[in-house]
Amino acid sequence: MTITKLVMVRHGESQWNRENRFTGWVDVDLSDQGRVEAKRAGKILKNKGFIFDRGYTSVLKRAIHTLWLIIDELDQAWLPIRKHWRLNERHYGMLQGLNKAETIKKFGNDKVQQWRRSLNVAPPKIINNENLGYDLRYMNNGLNQLPDSESLSSTINRVRLCLNYNILPNIKRGRKLVIVAHGNSIRAMIVLLNNLKDEEEIFQLNVPTATPLIYEFDDKMQIVSHYFLNLN
């Protein structure tokens, strides 16, 4: 039986992760710690003998730079990379840029947790999208109207298209893929791959930064196992 492995990695710590802010689609870069985490992930993958055929990432630089650092550690700078907005983090609407602790004080922990973790409740819509403006990364990739907020369910639906039409067909061909994305877009892929239905189970999903998550598929595209790589 041939096993094909898919590797998913949440980007390393960003500047706003460090400042405990909601980030969403705001294009914040990695912190110094995030770059260290990304390099560590690359070293772990190299020590485990991973060699990839293709890379996928979002169009946000914290994910792009994490992938660059990983493939640099793997000495695979030649790796073809596809960047897709459907792998972006969930859009947090007007919460973007706000400190999470201060937001909890203002709206209450239950409300904020509902915005963050429930399937169908989206945060309050952003008043305008001027911070994204006329952005060629989206306009040239079929996104004519930028979102003003997203629920986890709507994030899952957009990730589904990338998974079904880009990622899974490549795995079916036996290609070894590495995907660097975000906490919620990877959570969406876990929900889709594992066919999760229980909202509480989805609520409890946690994706640590820069920790490779491995999915193993057999010849019939059935998942054999999935696990995080030990960082020690």
Side-chain angles (χ1 to χ4, degrees), residues 12-16 18 29-40 69:
E13 181 192 70
S14 74
Q15 294 286 355
W16 280 13
R18 176 165 286 271
D29 207 348
L30 296 173
S31 66
D32 289 341
Q33 177 61 28
R35 284 183 276 274
V36 170
E37 292 175 353
K39 290 179 181 180
R40 180 184 62 186
L69 290 165

PDB file of all heavy atoms in Angstrom, residues 12-16 18 29-40 69:
ATOM      1  N   GLY A  12       4.186  30.695  11.772  1.00  0.00           N
ATOM      2  CA  GLY A  12       4.804  31.019  13.054  1.00  0.00           C
ATOM      3  C   GLY A  12       4.151  32.235  13.691  1.00  0.00           C
ATOM      4  O   GLY A  12       3.336  32.938  13.071  1.00  0.00           O
ATOM      5  N   GLU A  13       4.515  32.493  14.923  1.00  0.00           N
ATOM      6  CA  GLU A  13       3.943  33.634  15.650  1.00  0.00           C
ATOM      7  C   GLU A  13       4.095  34.926  14.844  1.00  0.00           C
ATOM      8  O   GLU A  13       5.174  35.243  14.346  1.00  0.00           O
ATOM      9  CB  GLU A  13       4.648  33.796  16.994  1.00  0.00           C
ATOM     10  CG  GLU A  13       4.104  34.952  17.831  1.00  0.00           C
ATOM     11  CD  GLU A  13       4.990  35.291  19.004  1.00  0.00           C
ATOM     12  OE1 GLU A  13       6.104  35.832  18.770  1.00  0.00           O
ATOM     13  OE2 GLU A  13       4.593  35.024  20.148  1.00  0.00           O
ATOM     14  N   SER A  14       2.993  35.678  14.731  1.00  0.00           N
ATOM     15  CA  SER A  14       3.046  36.973  14.046  1.00  0.00           C
ATOM     16  C   SER A  14       3.204  38.092  15.071  1.00  0.00           C
ATOM     17  O   SER A  14       3.077  37.877  16.281  1.00  0.00           O
ATOM     18  CB  SER A  14       1.767  37.195  13.235  1.00  0.00           C
ATOM     19  OG  SER A  14       0.680  37.489  14.098  1.00  0.00           O
ATOM     20  N   GLN A  15       3.451  39.294  14.558  1.00  0.00           N
ATOM     21  CA  GLN A  15       3.565  40.451  15.452  1.00  0.00           C
ATOM     22  C   GLN A  15       2.281  40.642  16.256  1.00  0.00           C
ATOM     23  O   GLN A  15       2.318  40.970  17.445  1.00  0.00           O
ATOM     24  CB  GLN A  15       3.851  41.711  14.624  1.00  0.00           C
ATOM     25  CG  GLN A  15       5.204  41.720  13.932  1.00  0.00           C
ATOM     26  CD  GLN A  15       6.364  41.968  14.895  1.00  0.00           C
ATOM     27  OE1 GLN A  15       6.173  42.222  16.084  1.00  0.00           O
ATOM     28  NE2 GLN A  15       7.576  41.906  14.388  1.00  0.00           N
ATOM     29  N   TRP A  16       1.140  40.438  15.623  1.00  0.00           N
ATOM     30  CA  TRP A  16      -0.129  40.634  16.333  1.00  0.00           C
ATOM     31  C   TRP A  16      -0.491  39.442  17.211  1.00  0.00           C
ATOM     32  O   TRP A  16      -1.225  39.611  18.179  1.00  0.00           O
ATOM     33  CB  TRP A  16      -1.238  40.973  15.343  1.00  0.00           C
ATOM     34  CG  TRP A  16      -1.222  42.421  14.923  1.00  0.00           C
ATOM     35  CD1 TRP A  16      -0.210  43.325  15.140  1.00  0.00           C
ATOM     36  CD2 TRP A  16      -2.249  43.129  14.232  1.00  0.00           C
ATOM     37  NE1 TRP A  16      -0.539  44.552  14.623  1.00  0.00           N
ATOM     38  CE2 TRP A  16      -1.787  44.454  14.049  1.00  0.00           C
ATOM     39  CE3 TRP A  16      -3.492  42.768  13.732  1.00  0.00           C
ATOM     40  CZ2 TRP A  16      -2.551  45.415  13.400  1.00  0.00           C
ATOM     41  CZ3 TRP A  16      -4.255  43.732  13.073  1.00  0.00           C
ATOM     42  CH2 TRP A  16      -3.786  45.039  12.912  1.00  0.00           C
ATOM     43  N   ARG A  18       1.747  38.078  19.011  1.00  0.00           N
ATOM     44  CA  ARG A  18       2.532  38.476  20.181  1.00  0.00           C
ATOM     45  C   ARG A  18       1.816  39.570  20.972  1.00  0.00           C
ATOM     46  O   ARG A  18       1.877  39.594  22.209  1.00  0.00           O
ATOM     47  CB  ARG A  18       3.922  38.945  19.733  1.00  0.00           C
ATOM     48  CG  ARG A  18       4.809  39.478  20.853  1.00  0.00           C
ATOM     49  CD  ARG A  18       6.257  39.569  20.421  1.00  0.00           C
ATOM     50  NE  ARG A  18       6.856  38.249  20.350  1.00  0.00           N
ATOM     51  CZ  ARG A  18       7.450  37.638  21.361  1.00  0.00           C
ATOM     52  NH1 ARG A  18       7.528  38.220  22.536  1.00  0.00           N
ATOM     53  NH2 ARG A  18       7.973  36.441  21.209  1.00  0.00           N
ATOM     54  N   ASP A  29       3.300  40.712   9.566  1.00  0.00           N
ATOM     55  CA  ASP A  29       4.429  39.805   9.352  1.00  0.00           C
ATOM     56  C   ASP A  29       4.728  38.993  10.610  1.00  0.00           C
ATOM     57  O   ASP A  29       4.168  39.207  11.686  1.00  0.00           O
ATOM     58  CB  ASP A  29       5.665  40.603   8.934  1.00  0.00           C
ATOM     59  CG  ASP A  29       6.638  39.778   8.081  1.00  0.00           C
ATOM     60  OD1 ASP A  29       6.478  38.547   8.009  1.00  0.00           O
ATOM     61  OD2 ASP A  29       7.546  40.389   7.490  1.00  0.00           O
ATOM     62  N   LEU A  30       5.665  38.059  10.464  1.00  0.00           N
ATOM     63  CA  LEU A  30       6.111  37.239  11.580  1.00  0.00           C
ATOM     64  C   LEU A  30       6.886  38.066  12.600  1.00  0.00           C
ATOM     65  O   LEU A  30       7.554  39.039  12.253  1.00  0.00           O
ATOM     66  CB  LEU A  30       7.029  36.119  11.077  1.00  0.00           C
ATOM     67  CG  LEU A  30       6.433  35.070  10.147  1.00  0.00           C
ATOM     68  CD1 LEU A  30       7.531  34.151   9.628  1.00  0.00           C
ATOM     69  CD2 LEU A  30       5.352  34.273  10.848  1.00  0.00           C
ATOM     70  N   SER A  31       6.796  37.661  13.846  1.00  0.00           N
ATOM     71  CA  SER A  31       7.675  38.203  14.882  1.00  0.00           C
ATOM     72  C   SER A  31       9.018  37.482  14.790  1.00  0.00           C
ATOM     73  O   SER A  31       9.172  36.493  14.056  1.00  0.00           O
ATOM     74  CB  SER A  31       7.058  37.967  16.266  1.00  0.00           C
ATOM     75  OG  SER A  31       7.011  36.564  16.554  1.00  0.00           O
ATOM     76  N   ASP A  32      10.004  37.947  15.538  1.00  0.00           N
ATOM     77  CA  ASP A  32      11.295  37.243  15.583  1.00  0.00           C
ATOM     78  C   ASP A  32      11.089  35.806  16.072  1.00  0.00           C
ATOM     79  O   ASP A  32      11.691  34.865  15.538  1.00  0.00           O
ATOM     80  CB  ASP A  32      12.271  37.974  16.510  1.00  0.00           C
ATOM     81  CG  ASP A  32      12.744  39.294  15.919  1.00  0.00           C
ATOM     82  OD1 ASP A  32      12.627  39.488  14.692  1.00  0.00           O
ATOM     83  OD2 ASP A  32      13.232  40.138  16.698  1.00  0.00           O
ATOM     84  N   GLN A  33      10.218  35.634  17.071  1.00  0.00           N
ATOM     85  CA  GLN A  33       9.915  34.296  17.574  1.00  0.00           C
ATOM     86  C   GLN A  33       9.252  33.448  16.492  1.00  0.00           C
ATOM     87  O   GLN A  33       9.534  32.244  16.366  1.00  0.00           O
ATOM     88  CB  GLN A  33       9.000  34.380  18.790  1.00  0.00           C
ATOM     89  CG  GLN A  33       8.553  33.034  19.350  1.00  0.00           C
ATOM     90  CD  GLN A  33       9.716  32.171  19.836  1.00  0.00           C
ATOM     91  OE1 GLN A  33      10.749  32.693  20.237  1.00  0.00           O
ATOM     92  NE2 GLN A  33       9.532  30.857  19.802  1.00  0.00           N
ATOM     93  N   GLY A  34       8.399  34.060  15.687  1.00  0.00           N
ATOM     94  CA  GLY A  34       7.739  33.337  14.609  1.00  0.00           C
ATOM     95  C   GLY A  34       8.717  32.815  13.574  1.00  0.00           C
ATOM     96  O   GLY A  34       8.553  31.708  13.042  1.00  0.00           O
ATOM     97  N   ARG A  35       9.757  33.603  13.290  1.00  0.00           N
ATOM     98  CA  ARG A  35      10.782  33.144  12.342  1.00  0.00           C
ATOM     99  C   ARG A  35      11.575  31.974  12.927  1.00  0.00           C
ATOM    100  O   ARG A  35      11.915  31.023  12.211  1.00  0.00           O
ATOM    101  CB  ARG A  35      11.698  34.307  11.966  1.00  0.00           C
ATOM    102  CG  ARG A  35      11.057  35.276  10.972  1.00  0.00           C
ATOM    103  CD  ARG A  35      12.006  36.380  10.558  1.00  0.00           C
ATOM    104  NE  ARG A  35      12.006  37.470  11.521  1.00  0.00           N
ATOM    105  CZ  ARG A  35      11.137  38.490  11.518  1.00  0.00           C
ATOM    106  NH1 ARG A  35      10.204  38.548  10.589  1.00  0.00           N
ATOM    107  NH2 ARG A  35      11.193  39.434  12.419  1.00  0.00           N
ATOM    108  N   VAL A  36      11.845  32.037  14.217  1.00  0.00           N
ATOM    109  CA  VAL A  36      12.527  30.918  14.887  1.00  0.00           C
ATOM    110  C   VAL A  36      11.658  29.661  14.804  1.00  0.00           C
ATOM    111  O   VAL A  36      12.150  28.563  14.506  1.00  0.00           O
ATOM    112  CB  VAL A  36      12.836  31.268  16.362  1.00  0.00           C
ATOM    113  CG1 VAL A  36      13.315  30.033  17.129  1.00  0.00           C
ATOM    114  CG2 VAL A  36      13.881  32.379  16.437  1.00  0.00           C
ATOM    115  N   GLU A  37      10.352  29.815  15.064  1.00  0.00           N
ATOM    116  CA  GLU A  37       9.431  28.682  15.014  1.00  0.00           C
ATOM    117  C   GLU A  37       9.379  28.071  13.620  1.00  0.00           C
ATOM    118  O   GLU A  37       9.363  26.835  13.467  1.00  0.00           O
ATOM    119  CB  GLU A  37       8.025  29.128  15.428  1.00  0.00           C
ATOM    120  CG  GLU A  37       7.893  29.514  16.889  1.00  0.00           C
ATOM    121  CD  GLU A  37       6.526  30.073  17.231  1.00  0.00           C
ATOM    122  OE1 GLU A  37       5.715  30.294  16.302  1.00  0.00           O
ATOM    123  OE2 GLU A  37       6.263  30.300  18.422  1.00  0.00           O
ATOM    124  N   ALA A  38       9.346  28.923  12.590  1.00  0.00           N
ATOM    125  CA  ALA A  38       9.275  28.426  11.217  1.00  0.00           C
ATOM    126  C   ALA A  38      10.523  27.628  10.854  1.00  0.00           C
ATOM    127  O   ALA A  38      10.444  26.556  10.237  1.00  0.00           O
ATOM    128  CB  ALA A  38       9.084  29.593  10.253  1.00  0.00           C
ATOM    129  N   LYS A  39      11.684  28.142  11.237  1.00  0.00           N
ATOM    130  CA  LYS A  39      12.931  27.427  10.961  1.00  0.00           C
ATOM    131  C   LYS A  39      12.963  26.090  11.700  1.00  0.00           C
ATOM    132  O   LYS A  39      13.430  25.082  11.155  1.00  0.00           O
ATOM    133  CB  LYS A  39      14.131  28.287  11.368  1.00  0.00           C
ATOM    134  CG  LYS A  39      14.347  29.506  10.479  1.00  0.00           C
ATOM    135  CD  LYS A  39      15.545  30.324  10.953  1.00  0.00           C
ATOM    136  CE  LYS A  39      15.754  31.549  10.087  1.00  0.00           C
ATOM    137  NZ  LYS A  39      16.918  32.368  10.539  1.00  0.00           N
ATOM    138  N   ARG A  40      12.459  26.085  12.928  1.00  0.00           N
ATOM    139  CA  ARG A  40      12.414  24.843  13.695  1.00  0.00           C
ATOM    140  C   ARG A  40      11.520  23.814  13.003  1.00  0.00           C
ATOM    141  O   ARG A  40      11.875  22.626  12.915  1.00  0.00           O
ATOM    142  CB  ARG A  40      11.905  25.116  15.102  1.00  0.00           C
ATOM    143  CG  ARG A  40      11.807  23.879  15.996  1.00  0.00           C
ATOM    144  CD  ARG A  40      11.211  24.200  17.347  1.00  0.00           C
ATOM    145  NE  ARG A  40       9.853  24.703  17.203  1.00  0.00           N
ATOM    146  CZ  ARG A  40       9.117  25.172  18.213  1.00  0.00           C
ATOM    147  NH1 ARG A  40       9.616  25.241  19.427  1.00  0.00           N
ATOM    148  NH2 ARG A  40       7.891  25.605  18.002  1.00  0.00           N
ATOM    149  N   LEU A  69      10.785  30.047   4.926  1.00  0.00           N
ATOM    150  CA  LEU A  69      11.761  29.623   5.937  1.00  0.00           C
ATOM    151  C   LEU A  69      11.796  28.097   6.057  1.00  0.00           C
ATOM    152  O   LEU A  69      12.874  27.509   6.231  1.00  0.00           O
ATOM    153  CB  LEU A  69      11.437  30.264   7.285  1.00  0.00           C
ATOM    154  CG  LEU A  69      11.672  31.778   7.358  1.00  0.00           C
ATOM    155  CD1 LEU A  69      10.984  32.380   8.569  1.00  0.00           C
ATOM    156  CD2 LEU A  69      13.174  32.084   7.390  1.00  0.00           C
TER     157      LEU A  69
END
